[in-house]
Amino acid sequence: MFHCYLAYLVITRMFRPFETNILLLFLYAVNPTHLLLTYSGWEIVYVIFLTIYSCYIFINCRGWTMINFIMNFAAIFLLITSCFTWATAIYITENAVHKKLKYLIEPPVYAELIGRRGENTTLPCMLRAKPSHYKVKWTKVEQRKEGTENIVMISNGHAFKPYGRLGPRASLRKAHTMDASLQLSHLELDDDGRYRCELINGVEDESVDITLRIEGVVFPYQSRNGRYKFTFNEAKETCAEQDGMLATFKQLYRAWTEGLDWCNAGWLIDGTVQYPILHPRDSCGGEELLPGIRSYGPKDKIKDRFDVFCFTSLTSGSVFYIGGPFSFREAVQACKRKGADLALVGQLYSAWYFHKYDQCDGGWLKDGSARYPIATPRERCGGLPESGVRSFGFPDKTRRLYGAYCYR
């Protein structure tokens, strides 16, 4: 926008008084290093030559005085450098877009791998050619975290060195001499994200990105003390206590496409507060709004309080039901007699999502809530048309009301 305005001033006012050209110089002074950072030496010489030649023509045609010459020399000079800037920017951008990899093989478009918690996976990275000296560096690209990059591993083709949290579970596949693929074992929830394979040789560094998506389910969670009680850190701790982690926006969006409709706003891992609506209604923002993810934007992580959206994946154990009715304490003992514990909310959601667990009976969970999973909706089991995990909230623990959902 600035360069367009500059060109307008030069073209329309180049032959006007001294003060106009002073304005041009002042405007351009907002970026004093522009010329030196943009051009090489021969380009600067060429720009100066074009400027002097243009002024020479105007001197002969219009009879400029020396002061006119000096100021309009500056005006024409700025216009020509701006034109060079546009051309250079277009050239660099186009070359960056169309740059072809020399040593690495480009992965498929939208390269994404899907894994489940506890499983193993391989992130592919193949070399088409080897430079004489090189290193391969694997990093996890975490946009929400600032600071040093999250290095997973560095290899020189013969040996590798692991780093950070992922390092102990990482290794190189080495299926053949051109294979630099990364193997991750015992996947965890926060392994979800984008990974970068970078070939470094000091001259022509290249990289390719692969996305690892941990398959799982998002579940909303509310405090036993009522609606909107969690700060950001409390929400994070709560998800961990329920066998989950704070959900990302992508995970919440995918859950919305799969049928999640929830009218209470909750924290996400990026510090924003959002909620998914499939069926617009007056009590949830109004019927006139379209379905989608409603956002409150970033909130104060210390002062503001909301509910939370947690994410969990496949579990290594199983959930089963014991009929009651029990008080909460009796439900705990009933599970222990079976060599199990009361299930966590995330474990019940995992059983419902991955194993289509269906039980039309309310049962106690470890957090003191009572819930039941429905994979096949029916009139006599809540009456709702969608599958899901139904909740009775947090009943009086002393009353014998429900059975027990155990995890072993």
Side-chain angles (χ1 to χ4, degrees):
M1 182 64 70
F2 167 71
H3 286 99
C4 293
Y5 184 56
L6 175 63
Y8 166 76
L9 286 175
V10 171
I11 293 172
T12 60
R13 305 188 180 187
M14 185 163 53
F15 308 115
R16 293 191 182 181
F18 174 86
E19 291 79 4
T20 301
N21 290 319
I22 289 293
L23 174 62
L24 287 174
L25 291 177
F26 175 77
L27 286 173
Y28 207 74
V30 297
N31 190 2
T33 60
H34 173 82
L35 180 62
L36 294 178
L37 292 178
T38 304
Y39 307 124
S40 63
W42 71 266
E43 289 174 326
I44 294 175
V45 172
Y46 185 58
V47 168
I48 293 174
F49 170 76
L50 287 179
T51 305
I52 294 174
Y53 182 71
S54 300
C55 289
Y56 172 76
I57 294 175
F58 284 120
I59 287 172
N60 285 285
C61 294
R62 302 187 61 88
W64 280 352
T65 65
M66 182 56 67
I67 194 66
N68 292 135
F69 172 80
I70 293 174
M71 296 311 301
N72 286 288
F73 172 90
I76 297 174
F77 180 71
L78 297 181
L79 177 60
I80 294 176
T81 56
S82 296
C83 294
F84 266 72
T85 301
W86 300 332
T88 303
I90 294 172
Y91 175 79
I92 292 175
T93 302
E94 290 181 347
N95 276 272
V97 171
H98 299 293
K99 180 182 178 182
K100 293 184 178 180
L101 298 175
K102 181 178 179 181
Y103 298 111
L104 296 176
I105 296 177
E106 186 73 41
V109 179
Y110 306 122
E112 182 179 81
L113 297 174
I114 300 175
R116 295 177 176 179
R117 179 171 53 183
E119 295 181 344
N120 304 329
T121 194
T122 300
L123 307 179
C125 182
M126 302 296 175
L127 279 65
R128 69 169 76 243
K130 286 185 177 182
S132 56
H133 301 284
Y134 72 96
K135 291 181 180 180
V136 172
K137 180 171 70 173
W138 276 97
T139 57
K140 186 167 189 273
V141 182
E142 300 190 68
Q143 296 179 345
R144 64 179 180 270
K145 293 184 179 180
E146 297 179 357
T148 58
E149 58 186 344
N150 187 4
I151 300 176
V152 179
M153 175 182 296
I154 296 178
S155 169
N156 61 5
H158 303 289
F160 65 86
K161 183 177 180 180
Y163 292 86
R165 178 185 63 82
L166 287 165
R169 297 186 285 115
S171 62
L172 290 180
R173 183 172 62 178
K174 292 186 177 180
H176 48 80
T177 58
M178 309 300 279
D179 186 13
S181 301
L182 180 70
Q183 293 180 318
L184 292 176
S185 61
H186 307 293
L187 292 176
E188 299 177 358
L189 293 179
D190 54 359
D191 291 346
D192 184 280
R194 185 157 54 96
Y195 292 77
R196 177 166 297 151
C197 174
E198 185 176 6
L199 185 143
I200 303 171
N201 69 351
V203 179
E204 297 177 287
D205 297 350
E206 298 179 351
S207 65
V208 294
D209 287 1
I210 301 290
T211 297
L212 172 61
R213 179 168 68 84
I214 301 299
E215 185 180 8
V217 57
V218 171
F219 60 95
Y221 193 86
Q222 189 173 98
S223 169
R224 66 179 301 107
N225 298 319
R227 185 171 181 252
Y228 293 173
K229 298 298 183 180
F230 297 127
T231 64
F232 177 82
N233 287 330
E234 290 170 346
K236 188 175 182 179
E237 292 172 0
T238 297
C239 287
E241 291 170 356
Q242 299 306 319
D243 191 45
M245 62 173 286
L246 279 170
T248 66
F249 175 80
K250 287 185 178 180
Q251 290 164 347
L252 181 64
Y253 180 83
R254 182 176 292 275
W256 172 73
T257 65
E258 294 175 350
L260 181 60
D261 182 282
W262 198 254
C263 197
N264 292 340
W267 290 104
L268 296 181
I269 199 167
D270 61 358
T272 61
V273 173
Q274 316 203 34
Y275 63 102
I277 294 296
L278 277 174
H279 308 292
R281 47 204 184 272
D282 286 337
S283 58
C284 296
E287 294 183 358
E288 68 280 0
L289 296 178
L290 295 174
I293 307 295
R294 310 278 171 80
S295 176
Y296 289 176
K299 290 295 181 179
D300 190 310
K301 293 182 179 181
I302 298 176
K303 297 180 180 179
D304 291 328
R305 294 179 179 271
F306 294 93
D307 292 343
V308 61
F309 289 102
C310 305
F311 174 81
T312 193
S313 184
L314 189 68
T315 62
S316 57
S318 60
V319 174
F320 59 95
Y321 177 77
I322 300 177
F326 303 124
S327 66
F328 178 78
R329 185 182 296 273
E330 292 169 341
V332 171
Q333 295 302 318
C335 290
K336 283 186 176 181
R337 288 193 292 270
K338 297 290 184 178
D341 294 313
L342 279 176
L344 302 173
V345 176
Q347 292 167 343
L348 184 62
Y349 267 92
S350 177
W352 163 75
Y353 185 82
F354 287 104
H355 303 298
K356 307 303 178 187
Y357 188 37
D358 187 287
Q359 183 75 41
C360 192
D361 298 284
W364 292 103
L365 295 181
K366 194 170 185 176
D367 67 339
S369 66
R371 307 171 192 252
Y372 64 101
I374 296 297
T376 305
R378 46 205 185 273
E379 186 65 30
R380 301 182 66 178
C381 290
L384 297 176
E386 299 89 6
S387 63
V389 175
R390 318 284 195 236
S391 175
F392 291 111
F394 294 87
D396 184 343
K397 289 185 176 182
T398 63
R399 299 184 63 186
R400 290 189 174 119
L401 298 173
Y402 305 105
Y405 284 103
C406 307
Y407 178 81
R408 181 177 56 205

